[in-house]
């Protein structure tokens, strides 16, 4: 059997194969009013297509734990029950196709309140549905972004509570896996990295202090998430900075901490926290970071980053570099990538009865 198409069980959840969909924002929700943050027909069609295409795990895009936690005003959210009901339609369909529904819980931090990417992605103010972003320290992302408001200790505690409340709603909405977004320069990542965390209190300075917020979020989510269901954590394994940033060594150390706090898989990406970082991209360029965590810690890992070919993905799993691969842009280009890869590798995926003529 193809290693890529072997099932994997984490806690009590079995995922039918190792081809997983990366969380990718669609920036397509309504920005204000009763429908703010609510998934609609676009989101249903988007995720349904990948499930019918054989993808084993559908990780829904960064879903904000509060209105101010959205990356853009057009992001999805899980801060009210209207959103929960709309998500149920999606999770029911994904599960009916044999895919496992997961959701990434997120807070945008200093990179919040930006426009849709196809409109330039610049920061937006109240006149364009925007707001004042917050961060661990009053350090802007770049010259275009406003100086964020530095969070107080009480506000940090409130955000931890928002992650827990969003996790409860995610469970009610039918999700089987909750992923905490700790990557790409958003709030959790901002606390982790000395590049963005200049605090001098219990949430800044030492490694233990900088990881405190992330672990408090993990503990809060794990407390409300059922024992039999997995929690993932997405991390940027490096800031790609020569000095003063988060490093691969930090990631290995933190992976051990996450495992001790009940995280079941590390979704390993890189970058996004320092706009001037030089990143040497290429096919599978982030896989070695996942492979190192897998080799040096007990935590299962997912690999991501320019994984496009079936044979490439198969080797990553067969060689023990990762336990699964997350596909992003390739699944945007080809929603049926998993089904085609199974045919190429001699694996099997569930094919809807309506699509059997395509086999």
């Amino acid at each position: 059997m193809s290693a890529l198409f072997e099932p994997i069980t984490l806690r009590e959840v079995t995922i039918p194969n190792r081809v997983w969909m990366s969380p990718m924002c669609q920036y397509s929700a309504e920005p204000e009013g009763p429908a703010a943050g609510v998934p609609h027909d676009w989101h249903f069609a988007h995720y349904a297509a990948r499930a019918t295409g054989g993808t084993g795990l559908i990780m829904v895009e960064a879903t904000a734990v509060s209105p101010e936690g959205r990356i853009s005003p057009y992001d999805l959210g899980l801060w009210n029950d209207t959103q929960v009901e709309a998500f149920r339609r999606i999770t029911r369909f994904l599960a009916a196709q044999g895919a496992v529904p997961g959701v990434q819980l997120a807070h945008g931090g200093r990179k919040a309140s930006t426009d849709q990417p196809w409109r330039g992605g610049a920061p937006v103010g109240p006149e364009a549905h925007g707001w004042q972003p917050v961060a661990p320290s009053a350090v802007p992302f770049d010259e275009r972004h406003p100086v964020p408001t530095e969070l107080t200790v009480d506000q940090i505690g409130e955000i931890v509570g928002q992650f827990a409340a969003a996790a409860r709603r995610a469970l009610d909405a039918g999700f089987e896996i909750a992923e905490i977004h700790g990557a790409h320069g958003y709030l959790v990542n901002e606390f982790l990295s000395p590049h963005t965390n200049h605090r001098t209190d219990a949430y800044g300075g030492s490694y233990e202090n900088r990881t405190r917020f992330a672990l408090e979020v993990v503990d809060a989510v794990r407390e409300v998430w059922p024992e039999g269901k997995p929690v993932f954590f997405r991390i940027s394994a490096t800031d790609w900075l020569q000095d003063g940033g988060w490093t691969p060594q930090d990631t290995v150390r933190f992976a051990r901490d996450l495992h001790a706090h009940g995280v079941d898989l590390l979704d390993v990406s890189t970058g996004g926290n320092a706009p001037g970082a030089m990143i040497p991209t290429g096919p599978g360029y982030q896989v070695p970071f996942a492979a190192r965590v897998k080799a040096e810690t007990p935590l299962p890992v997912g690999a991501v980053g320019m994984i496009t070919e079936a044979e490439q993905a198969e080797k990553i799993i067969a060689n023990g570099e990762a336990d699964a691969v997350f596909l992003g842009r390739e699944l945007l280009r080809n929603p049926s990538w998993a089904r085609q890869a199974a045919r190429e590798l001699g694996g099997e995926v569930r094919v809807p009865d309506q699509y059997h003529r395509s086999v």
Side-chain angles (χ1 to χ4, degrees):
M1 179 183 287
S2 160
L4 189 62
F5 290 94
E6 290 181 358
I8 180 172
T9 299
L10 298 168
R11 295 193 184 240
E12 298 172 10
V13 175
T14 298
I15 305 168
N17 60 55
R18 315 299 180 96
V19 180
W20 298 354
M21 182 176 181
S22 259
M24 293 175 285
C25 288
Q26 297 297 289
Y27 306 101
S28 296
E30 291 297 320
E32 291 185 345
V38 176
H40 52 68
D41 286 351
W42 173 264
H43 303 93
F44 180 88
H46 171 63
Y47 293 113
R50 279 79 197 166
T52 57
T55 307
L57 166 64
I58 306 292
M59 187 63 73
V60 168
E61 62 200 81
T63 299
V65 300
S66 69
E68 299 76 26
R70 290 173 292 177
I71 299 167
S72 86
Y74 305 94
D75 285 4
L76 297 180
L78 268 171
W79 65 79
N80 65 44
D81 292 340
T82 301
Q83 296 156 346
V84 170
E85 184 57 37
F87 271 120
R88 285 188 186 129
R89 178 189 177 211
I90 294 173
T91 59
R92 281 195 301 265
F93 186 85
L94 300 185
Q97 306 311 308
V100 173
V103 63
Q104 185 184 72
L105 304 177
H107 192 296
R110 69 177 186 165
K111 293 174 73 175
S113 190
T114 56
D115 207 350
Q116 292 158 313
W118 51 87
R119 293 168 52 174
V124 294
E127 73 287 349
H129 314 295
W131 58 90
Q132 171 64 19
V134 298
S137 302
V139 180
F141 178 65
D142 60 19
E143 65 279 356
R144 293 195 312 167
H145 284 69
V147 176
T149 299
E150 182 171 310
L151 289 163
T152 67
V153 171
D154 286 345
Q155 288 172 326
I156 291 170
E158 289 172 5
I159 293 173
V160 171
Q162 289 169 350
F163 270 93
R168 288 191 194 95
R169 292 192 178 96
L171 182 65
D172 194 23
F175 288 104
E176 294 290 314
I177 295 172
E179 176 171 271
I180 297 162
H181 196 351
H184 302 158
Y186 300 117
L187 186 64
V188 176
N189 189 185
E190 292 164 17
F191 271 92
L192 293 174
S193 174
H195 177 69
T196 40
N197 185 343
H198 300 172
R199 300 177 72 96
T200 57
D201 62 5
Y203 289 93
S206 67
Y207 166 88
E208 289 80 7
N209 285 357
R210 286 184 284 107
T211 59
R212 188 182 308 278
F213 173 66
L215 293 177
E216 286 180 353
V217 169
V218 168
D219 289 345
V221 170
R222 187 72 267 179
E223 184 175 352
V224 302
W225 201 247
E227 182 67 23
K229 297 183 187 296
V231 170
F232 291 5
F233 191 99
R234 174 165 262 201
I235 196 165
S236 283
T238 176
D239 284 338
W240 294 104
L241 295 174
Q242 293 297 318
D243 297 296
W246 183 261
T247 69
Q249 292 82 3
D250 292 327
T251 295
V252 170
R253 181 180 179 183
F254 190 50
R256 297 190 184 107
D257 293 340
L258 291 171
H259 183 262
H261 283 255
V263 167
D264 300 285
L265 182 136
L266 192 64
D267 176 0
V268 184
S269 187
T270 66
N273 199 34
M278 300 297 294
I279 303 177
T281 60
Y285 72 103
Q286 296 178 127
V287 173
F289 297 98
R292 179 173 176 181
V293 172
K294 184 166 175 60
E296 297 183 25
T297 81
L299 193 60
V301 298
V304 65
M306 297 183 72
I307 299 169
T308 60
E309 303 298 328
E311 185 177 349
Q312 175 195 18
E314 174 76 10
K315 286 181 178 178
I316 291 168
I317 306 303
N319 292 344
E321 296 175 279
D323 298 278
V325 293
F326 282 93
L327 272 62
R329 291 174 177 84
E330 192 61 23
L331 276 177
L332 295 183
R333 289 186 282 265
N334 181 4
S336 297
W337 190 95
R339 190 159 69 242
Q340 293 179 11
R343 188 162 56 240
E344 181 178 333
L345 298 171
E348 293 184 3
V349 294
R350 183 186 183 279
V351 179
D353 292 340
Q354 298 90 333
Y355 287 0
H356 267 288
R357 284 169 290 181
S358 69
V359 177

